[in-house]
Amino acid sequence: MKFGKEYVSQMVHEWQEAYMDYNHLKSLLMEILNFKKKNAPLPEVAATPRGSLKRRVSMYRAFSGLQIRYNSFKGKNNHEDEVIVVNSVQQEGSESHYETTFLVSCEEGGECELNFFRSLDDEFNKVLTFYKKKVGEVKVEAEALSKQMDALIALRIKVDKISIVDQVIDTFSNDDTVLSPASVDPMHFSSPGRPHMEAIQEVEMNNEEIVLEEKAKIGKRDTTEMNPRDFRPAPVEVLDYVKINIEPETPISTLRCIMTSKPNLSFSKEELRKVEEQMKKAFVEFYQKLRLLKRYSSLNVLAFSKIMKKYDKISSRKASKSYLEVIEKSYLRSSDEVLKLMEGVEVTFIKHFVDGNRKKGMKYLRPQAQRETHRVTFLLGLFSGCSLALVAAIAVSIRAGTLLENENRGQYMENIFPLYSLFGFVVLHIVMYGANIYYWRRFRVNYPFIFGFKQGTELGYRQVLLLASGLSLLALAAALYHLDMDIDPKTQSFQTLTELTPLALVIILLIVTFLPLNIIYRSSRFFFIKCVWRCLLAPLYKVTLPDFFLADQLTSQVQAIRSLQFYVCYYGWGNFTERSNTCQESKIYPILYIFLAIIPFWSRFIQCLRRVFEEKDLMQGFNSLKYLSTIVALVMRTLYDQKRGTFWRVMAASTSGITTVGNTYWDLVIDWGLLQRNSKNPWLRDKLLVPYKTVYFVAIVLNIILRLVWMQLVLDFQQLPFLHRRAFIAIVACLEILRRGMWNFFRLENEHLNNVGKYRASKSVPLPFNYDEDKSM
């Protein structure tokens, strides 16, 4: 792979505009090369042939020795070969920057080279300024983390002291001796959390003490060099001016926080555990930011080295050495602050959070990415091929059994088709998500960071498609088995076993989803379950992007939710052995039919309201109105489907029309960021990841058309005579899932570009302690 492509692939996506523009500088070098080719003198007719006399004579010249030639070359004064001088210029009111003076600009073609060095200086100063800014930010964060660690260590000491006192009081509770907490010496009793109180006497060591401790581990230090009891204990008084800031983990704790004011420290073990978990996340995220900065520095230095070597080769000059020496001495290369911070984070994390286990600590700080194995590709191909074969087998069975003309066709479509259509909706949505991942990776959308996946646990498109093909294989096999049992006269008597096949498949799917064993991508399954739970209890949890993104996906799965309701109806109240049900005639079924369908929209409505109150974002208020109008339109449309009549049809059509226009505008303008009239790309946006503008215009048209499709259910256009009502509803639902898959790509593209514009490449983890600055001073 050429360096240009490798350079782009190794970039931090959100910082790509802050990197050296390698392609631009390379294009300037091409201009220099083209100029030299145009103005090169024509070769003489009697040119010296290869292997000429001059060359052959030099081959027989006396050998003067390697060391002598090397020394003479090294000692030679090459000042006459210098073509550039790089100086650091300091201007009033601004930071110093580098300027290159091109010493041979008067030569022919010197203007092109002068333009190259001006652009090179601009790129170097841009990179240097950005790097200094980011290093300043991480130094501030490091100071904040240090203060948080002081509070954490003090909290550990306080919690262990209270635990020891409680243990002693319990021990002597039956004695007549009266004990007070002040009379207990914690150094003489064991703590259930730690073997001895000395174990939690945290030591803040300087660099010399760290070196001495390392020497002691390998047996090279006299133990008298540093007294283990001569340390600076963490000041417990720091707890007097801090307040706890822990995110509620359960709905009950959320309600308790709402009803009470900002809680003070309770010094409980549960509180300590939550604080440690929050601090662990903060350190891991901070370490990742430091790694990104280190990678940014190294990659830019390598890019400057490559471009200067290309310049030397094209111009036949020796300028790279002078420029690279300046880069080596600059803050970008000479500063070791990031490396020191990384070492400090490693030492602190290993000591305080993994009990000194370096291997375990580095596993947290530097998680390994999953390797895609050939087994996944093989199984994906196998399951996909088998699924296609089963589709063909089902089509042949339907044709051979003349099921389309069968008198029981209506009964089958009303009772069995909704059961299997559930799996079709789920498989199609997973396939669309797999396609999204493929194109996100292709166009460098950093979806793992946007979704907040734990590093090394995100699924690739092959793994996602493997899940879809595996589920489709099971569903199609069950559907074929169901058809075969119906057609074959020998097995028609096994009616109960036949009708229970879809239910058994749903049970298997639920078991696999909630399976606690570390198989079938457990971390991804549990992440999905967690997000679903947070969507169901939306007002009681802080809203994150994965939560509202999943809720948006569920709004496109209304028919799948209604299929789950039909499962309960068919197997709970219906006579499934005779393939009939009467629960739809009950009064509660239509109410549940509406209630279950609006759950995803209601979840998004509540999420938007919470974001209005927390983030003070007025746009989320308008977004909540959009979902509220969708709920009203969905209710009216369902009532029209149940009751019919002109009044309900007018209400359904009007509310659906208003909702369709509002949702379409929000999709295109807010979620996708398109239809900007004065942008660089007219009617799109300034930045586009897909190089073909036609793709965006086609997506706009398709989104509008697919948004209007659901109006068909209200306007009652004439359906095809051979198409059953259930099949038509399923097709409309599939079109909505396809629209949602297309929406996903452009929605995350816009989110990624927003992160790029703000140079946001790491998450901000809330810290557990809030310092009262007035008291601390």
Side-chain angles (χ1 to χ4, degrees):
M1 182 184 292
K2 292 185 177 181
F3 176 75
K5 293 183 179 179
E6 184 69 21
Y7 177 64
V8 173
S9 66
Q10 294 295 326
M11 284 182 179
V12 180
H13 302 302
E14 289 76 11
W15 295 350
Q16 57 189 4
E17 293 186 358
Y19 280 82
M20 185 195 82
D21 194 342
Y22 183 82
N23 290 331
H24 173 62
L25 294 177
K26 189 177 177 180
S27 66
L28 295 178
L29 290 180
M30 290 300 103
E31 291 180 6
I32 298 174
L33 180 61
N34 293 333
F35 181 85
K36 288 184 175 294
K37 286 181 178 180
K38 288 181 180 180
N39 297 275
L42 295 174
E44 298 180 4
V45 177
T48 304
R50 183 181 296 180
S52 63
L53 178 62
K54 183 178 179 181
R55 171 66 177 165
R56 279 181 278 153
V57 169
S58 68
M59 294 294 291
Y60 296 105
R61 185 177 296 158
F63 183 63
S64 57
L66 291 172
Q67 189 64 32
I68 295 174
R69 280 184 67 85
Y70 174 74
N71 287 338
S72 63
F73 173 77
K74 190 173 181 179
K76 186 177 179 181
N77 189 355
N78 290 322
H79 285 296
E80 63 273 11
D81 294 333
E82 290 185 359
V83 293
I84 60 170
V85 175
V86 186
N87 298 312
S88 178
V89 180
Q90 178 73 42
Q91 294 182 350
E92 295 183 2
S94 63
E95 296 183 357
S96 62
H97 62 280
Y98 290 91
E99 287 185 1
T100 301
T101 303
F102 187 54
L103 302 180
V104 289
S105 58
C106 58
E107 293 185 3
E108 189 176 9
E111 292 182 0
C112 294
E113 297 183 52
L114 184 62
N115 187 31
F116 167 77
F117 280 107
R118 286 173 181 170
S119 298
L120 185 67
D121 289 339
D122 291 340
E123 294 298 323
F124 180 50
N125 291 320
K126 177 186 72 174
V127 169
L128 193 58
T129 302
F130 180 81
Y131 184 71
K132 286 181 179 179
K133 177 184 176 183
K134 287 298 178 182
V135 171
E137 291 177 1
V138 297
K139 288 169 70 175
V140 173
E141 290 185 38
E143 185 65 27
L145 283 175
S146 298
K147 295 176 68 176
Q148 295 287 317
M149 281 303 301
D150 287 340
L152 172 60
I153 294 169
L155 180 62
R156 283 177 176 172
I157 296 174
K158 189 77 173 180
V159 169
D160 276 26
K161 282 183 178 180
I162 293 175
S163 177
I164 293 171
V165 170
D166 291 341
Q167 179 184 358
V168 173
I169 293 175
D170 290 341
T171 303
F172 294 96
S173 59
N174 295 328
D175 294 347
D176 296 334
T177 307
V178 178
L179 293 176
S180 64
S183 65
V184 179
D185 183 5
M187 299 295 291
H188 293 85
F189 298 94
S190 297
S191 169
R194 299 173 187 265
H196 197 275
M197 192 63 192
E198 287 181 343
I200 63 126
Q201 295 292 338
E202 305 292 351
V203 183
E204 297 297 327
M205 297 182 293
N206 57 32
N207 292 333
E208 295 180 359
E209 290 172 329
I210 294 175
V211 172
L212 293 174
E213 187 182 34
E214 293 297 326
K215 287 182 178 180
K217 291 180 180 178
I218 59 177
K220 293 184 178 180
R221 178 181 70 87
D222 186 1
T223 54
T224 60
E225 286 186 359
M226 185 175 69
N227 188 347
R229 290 188 178 274
D230 291 341
F231 59 84
R232 178 173 64 86
V236 183
E237 294 78 13
V238 74
L239 299 177
D240 295 337
Y241 48 86
V242 298
K243 288 187 177 182
I244 202 69
N245 182 33
I246 300 177
E247 288 288 336
E249 295 182 352
T250 62
I252 296 176
S253 59
T254 303
L255 292 173
R256 188 182 297 118
C257 289
I258 294 173
M259 297 175 65
T260 59
S261 60
K262 201 74 172 179
N264 291 321
L265 291 165
S266 61
F267 308 114
S268 63
K269 288 187 177 181
E270 181 63 19
E271 184 180 66
L272 176 61
R273 181 191 65 80
K274 293 179 179 179
V275 168
E276 288 179 338
E277 285 296 322
Q278 206 163 338
M279 284 296 295
K280 187 185 293 186
K281 292 178 182 178
F283 267 95
V284 170
E285 199 60 40
F286 181 65
Y287 189 79
Q288 298 307 318
K289 184 180 293 187
L290 294 175
R291 291 182 68 191
L292 293 180
L293 268 175
K294 181 183 176 183
R295 193 171 88 188
Y296 174 83
S297 171
S298 303
L299 193 59
N300 275 291
V301 170
L302 180 60
F304 281 111
S305 175
K306 290 285 185 180
I307 203 69
M308 287 306 300
K309 288 179 181 178
K310 279 185 176 294
Y311 171 79
D312 285 357
K313 184 178 179 180
I314 290 174
S315 64
S316 301
R317 304 185 192 277
K318 298 178 181 179
S320 61
K321 183 179 178 182
S322 301
Y323 206 92
L324 294 179
E325 284 179 354
V326 172
I327 293 177
E328 287 292 328
K329 295 177 183 178
S330 68
Y331 186 83
L332 182 68
R333 192 66 173 171
S334 62
S335 174
D336 60 348
E337 292 175 317
V338 173
L339 289 176
K340 287 182 178 179
L341 284 173
M342 290 180 69
E343 293 173 0
V345 170
E346 290 174 6
V347 171
T348 304
F349 190 86
I350 292 169
K351 174 184 174 184
H352 289 279
F353 298 105
V354 291
D355 296 328
N357 189 334
R358 180 172 180 81
K359 184 178 180 181
K360 184 178 179 182
M362 296 310 294
K363 190 176 180 181
Y364 273 104
L365 294 175
R366 296 187 179 183
Q368 299 295 323
Q370 283 186 343
R371 293 183 178 179
E372 293 189 359
T373 61
H374 295 297
R375 180 177 58 185
V376 172
T377 306
F378 171 77
L379 291 176
L380 173 59
L382 178 63
F383 291 167
S384 300
C386 292
S387 298
L388 292 175
L390 287 172
V391 170
I394 291 174
V396 171
S397 298
I398 294 175
R399 182 65 178 173
T402 63
L403 297 181
L404 293 177
E405 294 80 18
N406 195 294
E407 59 181 6
N408 294 324
R409 170 177 175 261
Q411 186 185 30
Y412 188 91
M413 292 298 295
E414 289 292 338
N415 295 282
I416 303 302
F417 182 80
L419 301 177
Y420 286 106
S421 62
L422 168 67
F423 303 102
F425 300 145
V426 175
V427 168
L428 180 59
H429 212 134
I430 297 176
V431 169
M432 292 302 298
Y433 179 64
N436 288 148
I437 291 178
Y438 173 80
Y439 285 106
W440 287 332
R441 285 191 172 183
R442 180 176 176 180
F443 295 107
R444 306 187 189 285
V445 176
N446 194 1
Y447 72 94
F449 167 69
I450 294 174
F451 287 137
F453 293 145
K454 186 178 179 181
Q455 191 172 359
T457 62
E458 68 274 8
L459 298 183
Y461 71 93
R462 287 189 180 90
Q463 287 92 338
V464 174
L465 294 179
L466 176 62
L467 294 175
S469 61
L471 180 57
S472 67
L473 179 62
L474 288 175
L476 290 170
L480 182 61
Y481 168 77
H482 205 143
L483 282 174
D484 186 64
M485 294 282 281
D486 277 346
I487 295 173
D488 192 350
K490 296 181 180 179
T491 57
Q492 286 182 350
S493 59
F494 303 103
Q495 193 70 27
T496 302
L497 181 63
T498 304
E499 298 301 311
L500 286 174
T501 303
L503 180 62
L505 199 57
V506 169
I507 293 174
I508 292 173
L509 182 60
L510 291 176
I511 290 175
V512 171
T513 303
F514 291 93
L515 191 66
L517 301 179
N518 192 14
I519 56 175
I520 316 179
Y521 311 120
R522 181 180 65 176
S523 60
S524 298
R525 288 189 285 111
F526 283 12
F527 184 85
F528 172 75
I529 294 170
K530 177 183 176 182
C531 290
V532 171
W533 178 250
R534 292 169 66 95
C535 288
L536 294 176
L537 300 176
L540 302 180
Y541 287 102
K542 182 178 177 62
V543 182
T544 60
L545 190 142
D547 299 336
F548 68 73
F549 191 85
L550 179 61
D552 277 327
Q553 307 307 303
L554 295 178
T555 59
S556 296
Q557 287 286 2
V558 171
Q559 291 304 322
I561 296 173
R562 285 173 169 172
S563 295
L564 285 174
Q565 179 190 2
F566 185 77
Y567 267 90
V568 177
C569 168
Y570 187 67
Y571 290 104
W573 286 278
N575 188 2
F576 65 90
T577 57
E578 298 181 1
R579 195 169 290 177
S580 64
N581 68 87
T582 57
C583 65
Q584 296 183 8
E585 300 174 1
S586 64
K587 294 182 179 180
I588 194 173
Y589 184 85
I591 299 175
L592 290 176
Y593 195 74
I594 297 174
F595 174 76
L596 294 176
I598 66 174
I599 287 178
F601 300 97
W602 178 258
S603 177
R604 283 297 288 122
F605 172 70
I606 295 298
Q607 287 175 343
C608 292
L609 288 182
R610 171 148 185 169
R611 293 184 68 183
V612 169
F613 289 108
E614 285 188 345
E615 304 172 11
K616 310 302 181 184
D617 186 0
L618 188 60
M619 289 300 294
Q620 293 301 321
F622 293 116
N623 200 14
S624 65
L625 293 177
K626 181 193 75 172
Y627 287 104
L628 183 61
S629 68
T630 307
I631 292 173
V632 173
L634 184 61
V635 171
M636 292 299 171
R637 192 180 68 184
T638 307
L639 289 174
Y640 166 68
D641 189 47
Q642 293 173 353
K643 300 182 177 181
R644 296 294 170 171
T646 305
F647 171 77
W648 293 112
R649 183 174 184 176
V650 171
M651 292 297 296
S654 58
T655 54
S656 297
I658 294 172
T659 299
T660 300
V661 172
N663 288 345
T664 303
Y665 172 82
W666 196 274
D667 287 344
L668 303 179
V669 178
I670 307 300
D671 290 338
W672 293 2
L674 302 178
L675 298 183
Q676 297 180 13
R677 184 177 180 181
N678 298 321
S679 66
K680 296 178 181 178
N681 304 295
W683 297 107
L684 297 177
R685 63 171 108 85
D686 291 340
K687 298 178 183 178
L688 303 174
L689 294 183
V690 181
Y692 309 106
K693 299 179 183 178
T694 309
V695 173
Y696 293 92
F697 290 110
V698 171
I700 290 172
V701 174
L702 284 177
N703 188 77
I704 295 173
I705 294 173
L706 294 176
R707 277 288 188 185
L708 292 173
V709 165
W710 76 324
M711 291 291 291
Q712 155 66 19
L713 300 176
V714 177
L715 301 177
D716 289 334
F717 291 136
Q718 186 66 32
Q719 299 179 13
L720 297 176
F722 61 86
L723 196 62
H724 193 273
R725 184 180 63 90
R726 288 282 189 180
F728 180 76
I729 293 175
I731 292 174
V732 172
C734 290
L735 291 175
E736 169 59 21
I737 294 172
L738 293 174
R739 188 202 64 81
R740 179 61 62 183
M742 181 179 65
W743 179 89
N744 290 343
F745 174 80
F746 295 104
R747 174 66 180 87
L748 237 67
E749 180 202 22
N750 192 36
E751 184 70 23
H752 173 76
L753 291 175
N754 289 335
N755 290 338
V756 171
K758 299 176 182 177
Y759 300 106
R760 186 168 51 205
S762 57
K763 295 180 292 185
S764 58
V765 179
L767 299 176
F769 298 106
N770 285 335
Y771 274 77
D772 190 338
E773 299 296 338
D774 295 334
K775 291 184 180 179
S776 61
M777 292 176 62

